[in-house]
Amino acid sequence: MRKDRIIYSTGSFSLTLALTAIITVALCANPFAGFYVMVGGLFFFPFFLQIVLRAAGPGSALASLTLFGFGAGIRLGAGPALFVCAYLLVPLTVYGWCLYKNLPAAKSMLAIALSYAVWVLALYALSFRILGEAPFEALSRMAVESLNTMPERDGLLSAAYSYGLLGLPEEIAEVAVIQVPQGGATFSPEALAEFFKQIHTRASLWLRVLVPSLISSLGPYLALGGVYLSDYYGKRQAQRRIFRMPEESRAASYAPPELKGLAPFHQWHIPRHLALPLWIMGGVSLLTRLSGQEALSLAGAMLYNIFTACFAIQGISLVNFMQRQRGVRSAMRGITVFILALILPQAAMILGMFDQISDQRKLRKPNESNGSDTGRNES
């Protein structure tokens, strides 16, 4: 069977473009479009493009990336949009290369995580060189400037002030609101300056930890969770294409490439030879975060993120295994996965640690190999 198609089917190509267009318009058509486009590009689209690549082909993934980049360019400008597209392109390319080379799953996951981390660092260094300052300072300033030009500025600031998200010194609070000749009221220049100062500071603090969080948290989730998520939807889409074919044509149907030796998700676990380094990371992270030194605390937070991501995914796998054993429907299993990953990752991490210690699923053989097949053992 051929494995070199760029687009798996015209139907899947059209569907992915339609979904990308809907998501892009939803992100761009709101007052905080710049923020939503950035968050969507950083956190949502890496997983979405992996699914599109696996389910609809590399041509569909590149078309979706181009469409999103076009929308980002309209709202953010050409420069930031190019950075967003570059950020998304490299891990997607590495995953596609691993698929078409039919590489082992463990090596592919490692390649995705490492390439993602190196590329994020490279983009950060490049943006620092181009801007002449730390990117988080420039982005914080852009956020304040964008807010200042919004028609809804006063309403948003008033709501934030009312709910205690922003504050004013007593001497400014007494004259914070002034009347305008056109009718109505607005904030005084002093109040606006204080609000913008606080927003800039908080945005800068959040953005300072963004790059370390992407490397140490999103990277493992993309390499492990993203691969399994895309594999699930890719196989479902391939089955649908086959079922639509005449029975005599199914044997010669196109088989999209897959990673070699990828265990079912409900059987995935951290091999023993990788568990010990993760336990050490967890212990070191606690010590460094208690050191009181900023650099060591940041390093400890990154180690903790890696520890949490790996054991959280194992915990989700354990819950998925138990639900399958009880005959829970696939839709409910999917909802549970998303709840644990997005809302209750700490609970998933604790379950993963418990499973690693007790081997609840009895997946490990007594002489479990220290080989390279991550999480793949016969039960």
Side-chain angles (χ1 to χ4, degrees):
M1 299 182 207
R2 293 183 60 195
K3 295 189 176 183
D4 55 354
R5 287 189 184 177
I6 302 299
I7 297 174
Y8 295 163
S9 71
T10 55
S12 61
F13 177 78
S14 302
L15 177 61
T16 54
L17 280 187
L19 284 174
T20 305
I22 292 171
I23 295 168
T24 303
V25 170
L27 293 174
C28 294
N30 64 80
F32 295 101
F35 173 77
Y36 283 113
V37 169
M38 185 181 74
V39 171
L42 290 176
F43 298 103
F44 172 75
F45 266 90
F47 296 93
F48 177 75
L49 291 175
Q50 279 188 331
I51 295 173
V52 173
L53 172 67
R54 183 69 176 79
S60 302
L62 288 176
S64 295
L65 174 59
T66 303
L67 183 58
F68 174 69
F70 179 76
I74 293 175
R75 301 301 296 184
L76 301 178
L82 286 175
F83 264 87
V84 171
C85 290
Y87 163 81
L88 294 170
L89 182 61
V90 168
L92 181 68
T93 303
V94 172
Y95 183 36
W97 181 79
C98 293
L99 282 172
Y100 278 80
K101 288 294 184 179
N102 193 226
L103 296 182
K107 292 181 179 179
S108 301
M109 292 174 178
L110 183 61
I112 293 170
L114 290 179
S115 63
Y116 176 82
V118 171
W119 188 235
V120 168
L121 286 174
L123 287 177
Y124 179 82
L126 179 61
S127 62
F128 195 99
R129 184 177 182 84
I130 292 174
L131 296 172
E133 61 178 338
F136 49 79
E137 291 293 342
L139 289 172
S140 300
R141 190 171 58 253
M142 288 171 57
V144 170
E145 292 172 354
S146 175
L147 177 61
N148 193 31
T149 59
M150 290 171 52
E152 305 89 349
R153 181 198 68 183
D154 289 346
L156 294 171
L157 291 176
S158 178
Y161 180 59
S162 300
Y163 285 103
L165 300 176
L166 297 173
L168 289 173
E170 185 176 348
E171 61 274 11
I172 298 179
E174 293 176 354
V175 291
V177 179
I178 59 175
Q179 300 297 320
V180 294
Q182 296 83 2
T186 186
F187 288 103
S188 65
E190 294 80 9
L192 288 175
E194 180 64 26
F195 283 150
F196 292 154
K197 179 182 176 182
Q198 294 178 28
I199 293 171
H200 181 278
T201 300
R202 294 179 185 182
S204 179
L205 290 174
W206 179 75
L207 291 169
R208 283 175 190 269
V209 299
L210 177 61
V211 171
S213 297
L214 289 176
I215 293 172
S216 59
S217 186
L218 190 68
Y221 272 111
L222 191 64
L224 293 169
V227 166
Y228 270 110
L229 193 64
S230 62
D231 185 73
Y232 171 77
Y233 284 106
K235 287 180 177 177
R236 284 191 62 181
Q237 190 64 23
Q239 290 174 351
R240 289 175 180 173
R241 284 194 296 267
I242 292 174
F243 289 150
R244 294 191 190 107
M245 293 179 178
E247 190 169 347
E248 60 274 10
S249 304
R250 293 178 181 176
S253 63
Y254 175 73
E258 300 181 1
L259 296 180
K260 184 189 299 182
L262 183 64
F265 178 66
H266 65 278
Q267 294 182 6
W268 188 87
H269 65 277
I270 301 169
R272 289 176 180 170
H273 70 284
L274 295 180
L276 180 59
L278 286 173
W279 287 116
I280 294 174
M281 283 185 186
V284 172
S285 70
L286 293 177
L287 296 177
T288 54
R289 295 173 76 179
L290 295 174
S291 66
Q293 299 183 21
E294 185 177 352
L296 288 177
S297 297
L298 179 60
M302 294 180 68
L303 292 176
Y304 180 76
N305 288 342
I306 296 172
F307 176 88
T308 300
C310 294
F311 279 105
I313 293 173
Q314 177 159 337
I316 296 171
S317 174
L318 171 64
V319 173
N320 188 264
F321 176 87
M322 296 171 64
Q323 288 182 319
R324 293 175 73 97
Q325 292 289 97
R326 289 167 172 75
V328 178
R329 294 183 179 181
S330 60
M332 184 55 65
R333 295 200 304 268
I335 292 172
T336 305
V337 167
F338 282 104
I339 290 175
L340 288 172
L342 300 178
I343 302 176
L344 300 171
Q346 297 298 324
M349 178 193 71
I350 294 172
L351 290 173
M353 294 167 62
F354 172 73
D355 181 57
Q356 184 67 30
I357 294 171
S358 61
D359 189 21
Q360 286 294 300
R361 293 172 285 179
K362 309 300 179 186
L363 297 177
R364 299 182 186 86
K365 296 179 180 179
N367 58 342
E368 185 183 52
S369 171
N370 288 346
S372 60
D373 233 2
T374 301
R376 187 176 188 272
N377 294 281
E378 296 296 328
S379 57

